[in-house]
Amino acid sequence: MPEMIKLREYQEEAIAAVLKAEEEGQRRNLLVLFTGGGKTIIFGALTSRTPGRTLILTHRDELLKQAVDKLTQVNPALVLGMGVVKAERNDIHARVVVASVQTLARQRRRANLGQFERVIADESHHAVSPSWRNILTDVGVFEPDGPSLLGVTATPMRSDGIGLGALFEGIVYERDILWGLRNQYLCDLRGIQVRLDLDLDAVKTNAGDFADGALGEAREEAGAPEHIAAAYLQHASDR
């Protein structure tokens, strides 16, 4: 069945760059693309066009559903061979397995996954964490005859300073936000800053990022919801 979504020129270029790198023997590749550029569409089309089993790893459960939906849009025929590994679902024998890292972090859930030809790491700037690396090790991406690895992300730089070079051999294709704006794939923007009396030094951090719960509490105490609502009514009440 043909693809339902017509890929943009740069999306086709990205797929060609991945395949070329793999043909040249570079097996652990990184694709960097601006948010909204269609990373899921790209690896969905790649999965649709290439044979063999594919494991798609998602960082969060909501991204798993997004990946499944987009894969189906790219090629509805994929749904016949697609399985999910999350919570009570354990479709480990499907040709395309979309799995939550939170689920596969438990070794018993990845014990019988079988062999894959390609592993795709969505939001791959997280992939250097121990839970991700344990999964990648168990499915064989670091073995000479193991599956190829494709990481996709919009943010290849981590705030904690840990580099992705130990995991990926190189960036095979990259398009940033400025490129997307200049080529009219993104709308230009105008930002309005809402200032709060907030001391971020007092907010707890986790692995270099602000802890979500602590940051949310600090913003609420500083009146962020009220300030944001007032700014919206002042500047964008007709939108």
Side-chain angles (χ1 to χ4, degrees), residues 2 16 24 47 65 126 151 164 168 176 181:
E24 293 175 350
T47 300
K65 184 179 185 304
H126 296 288
L164 302 182
F168 297 101
D176 60 13
L181 289 168

Side-chain angles (χ1 to χ4, degrees), residues 103-115:
T103 297
L104 289 188
R106 296 186 287 276
Q107 190 170 23
R108 62 180 177 80
R109 295 300 298 267
R110 59 180 189 268
N112 299 305
L113 283 172
Q115 300 294 317

Side-chain angles (χ1 to χ4, degrees), residues 4-52:
M4 299 296 290
I5 295 178
K6 180 176 174 56
L7 270 63
R8 298 168 176 172
E9 183 178 358
Y10 69 84
Q11 293 172 327
E12 293 284 6
E13 290 175 353
I15 292 174
V18 171
L19 294 176
K20 182 174 184 292
E22 291 179 353
E23 288 172 3
E24 293 175 350
Q26 183 167 296
R27 297 176 48 255
R28 301 196 306 274
N29 300 299
L30 191 61
L31 168 65
V32 180
L33 188 65
F34 56 89
T35 299
K39 292 181 288 296
T40 310
I41 296 298
I42 290 172
F43 69 69
L46 178 65
T47 300
S48 175
R49 297 176 187 181
T50 52

Side-chain angles (χ1 to χ4, degrees), residues 3 16-17 21 38 43-44 50 63 67 82 89 104 113 195 229:
E3 291 172 3
F43 69 69
T50 52
L63 294 177
M82 193 181 337
R89 292 193 61 177
L104 289 188
L113 283 172
R195 292 187 175 276

Side-chain angles (χ1 to χ4, degrees), residues 17-222:
V18 171
L19 294 176
K20 182 174 184 292
E22 291 179 353
E23 288 172 3
E24 293 175 350
Q26 183 167 296
R27 297 176 48 255
R28 301 196 306 274
N29 300 299
L30 191 61
L31 168 65
V32 180
L33 188 65
F34 56 89
T35 299
K39 292 181 288 296
T40 310
I41 296 298
I42 290 172
F43 69 69
L46 178 65
T47 300
S48 175
R49 297 176 187 181
T50 52
R53 297 186 71 219
T54 298
L55 172 64
I56 299 171
L57 298 172
T58 65
H59 175 58
R60 298 195 307 272
D61 288 347
E62 56 265 33
L63 294 177
L64 185 149
K65 184 179 185 304
Q66 174 184 305
V68 170
D69 290 345
K70 290 292 177 65
L71 285 165
T72 305
Q73 290 177 39
V74 170
N75 186 350
L78 276 178
V79 73
L80 300 176
M82 193 181 337
V84 169
V85 176
K86 169 188 174 293
E88 71 282 355
R89 292 193 61 177
N90 197 41
D91 308 325
I92 58 174
H93 301 298
R95 185 184 89 78
V96 180
V97 177
V98 186
S100 160
V101 169
Q102 293 168 311
T103 297
L104 289 188
R106 296 186 287 276
Q107 190 170 23
R108 62 180 177 80
R109 295 300 298 267
R110 59 180 189 268
N112 299 305
L113 283 172
Q115 300 294 317
F116 293 95
E117 277 64 45
R118 178 180 285 110
V119 177
I120 296 172
D122 196 12
E123 299 289 323
S124 55
H125 50 282
H126 296 288
V128 295
S129 69
S131 57
W132 278 79
R133 289 188 68 95
N134 289 340
I135 296 167
L136 296 174
T137 298
D138 278 6
V139 298
V141 299
F142 302 111
E143 300 297 328
D145 59 347
S148 62
L149 173 65
L150 174 63
V152 296
T153 183
T155 53
M157 304 298 292
R158 289 172 56 95
S159 59
D160 58 7
I162 298 176
L164 302 182
L167 185 57
F168 297 101
E169 297 174 76
I171 296 174
V172 294
Y173 193 81
E174 183 172 12
R175 292 290 183 266
D176 60 13
I177 290 176
L178 187 57
W179 185 92
L181 289 168
R182 287 174 173 169
N183 288 273
Q184 299 183 335
Y185 291 113
L186 294 174
C187 295
D188 208 348
L189 53 89
R190 178 170 63 96
I192 296 173
Q193 190 176 54
V194 178
R195 292 187 175 276
L196 300 174
D197 184 13
L198 174 60
D199 180 13
L200 292 177
D201 291 335
V203 178
K204 293 181 180 179
T205 59
N206 182 15
D209 291 325
F210 291 115
D212 288 343
L215 182 60
E217 291 174 3
R219 286 186 297 196
E220 287 186 10
E221 290 174 2

